[in-house]
């Protein structure tokens, strides 16, 4: 289910040219989405999930999806909530209302980060040029989410399909991340 939703929620930016398109791998700029950072206590998880439209995952490095919604586990009391770009105000208001009497922090981080979609049979190889994580399907199955470092930049990696990953970085780091990925992909072209 997360693969289908991610394909509906995380889509290529229709107005942007592909950053890279080779036979074995592609890098596409993702269309903007609503991104909210939520910190909440365990006792409030059900209320937050009901208000958002997708349960908040409690298993480390996992996600839960709903209709055009994705909740990504970022830490024991922290989630990134994703929704269509136009849903910012209604989603923010629904979560705030659902948690009105409960301690929480909800912050709009939509403008802070950008995402790219790395896909193809060489996607794992390409990501491993700067991230030292075992991205095999057994170790990092579809739906797995992790914060990590790409070279010197903090990133979030979400596997949305067997050969598809969403890589999110702060806007100020995205040129660095995407540039190094494209540079590394040059090795594939030269081979």
């Amino acid at each position: 289910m997360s693969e289908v939703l991610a394909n509906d929620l995380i889509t290529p930016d229709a107005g942007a040219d592909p950053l890279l398109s080779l036979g074995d791998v592609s890098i596409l700029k993702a269309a903007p989405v609503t991104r909210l950072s939520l910190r909440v206590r365990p006792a409030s998880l059900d209320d937050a999930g009901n208000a958002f439209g997708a349960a908040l995952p409690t298993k480390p490095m996992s996600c839960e999806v709903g209709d055009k919604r994705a909740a990504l586990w970022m830490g024991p009391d922290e989630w990134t909530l994703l929704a269509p770009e136009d849903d910012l105000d209604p989603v923010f208001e629904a979560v705030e209302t659902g948690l009105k009497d409960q301690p929480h922090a909800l912050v709009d981080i939509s403008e802070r980060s950008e995402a790219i979609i790395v896909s193809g049979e060489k996607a794992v190889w390409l990501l491993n040029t700067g991230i030292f994580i075992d991205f095999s399907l057994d170790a990092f199955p579809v739906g797995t989410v992790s914060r990590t470092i790409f070279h010197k930049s903090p990133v979030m990696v979400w596997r949305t399909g067997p050969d598809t990953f969403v890589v999110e970085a702060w806007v100020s780091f995205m040129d660095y991340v995407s540039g190094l990925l494209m540079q590394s992909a040059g090795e594939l072209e030269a081979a």
Side-chain angles (χ1 to χ4, degrees), residues 45-82:
L45 293 181
D46 289 341
D47 290 338
N50 289 336
F52 175 60
L56 301 187
T58 56
K59 179 182 173 195
M61 299 176 63
S62 67
C63 72
E64 292 287 340
V65 295
D67 185 30
K68 295 277 190 178
R69 303 280 186 267
L72 312 177
W73 188 92
M74 295 286 110
D77 68 347
E78 182 181 1
W79 293 265
T80 295
L81 308 179
L82 304 174

Side-chain angles (χ1 to χ4, degrees), residues 102-178:
Q102 301 169 58
H104 68 281
L106 182 65
V107 180
D108 174 14
I109 58 170
S110 302
E111 301 297 325
R112 180 189 76 183
S113 298
E114 290 182 332
I116 55 175
I117 303 163
V118 180
S119 61
E121 63 183 56
K122 294 290 187 178
V124 167
W125 176 88
L126 187 58
L127 291 175
N128 279 151
T129 64
I131 300 172
F132 303 105
I133 289 179
D134 180 357
F135 285 120
S136 68
L137 274 168
D138 290 336
F140 205 91
V142 173
T144 302
V145 178
S146 181
R147 281 184 180 164
T148 188
I149 300 293
F150 178 80
H151 291 278
K152 295 180 181 181
S153 174
V155 295
M156 183 276 298
V157 179
W158 176 23
R159 184 177 223 144
T160 59
D163 292 327
T164 305
F165 298 83
V166 174
V167 179
E168 187 174 288
W170 287 13
V171 171
S172 57
F173 293 122
M174 187 50 84
D175 285 345
Y176 172 79
V177 171
S178 59

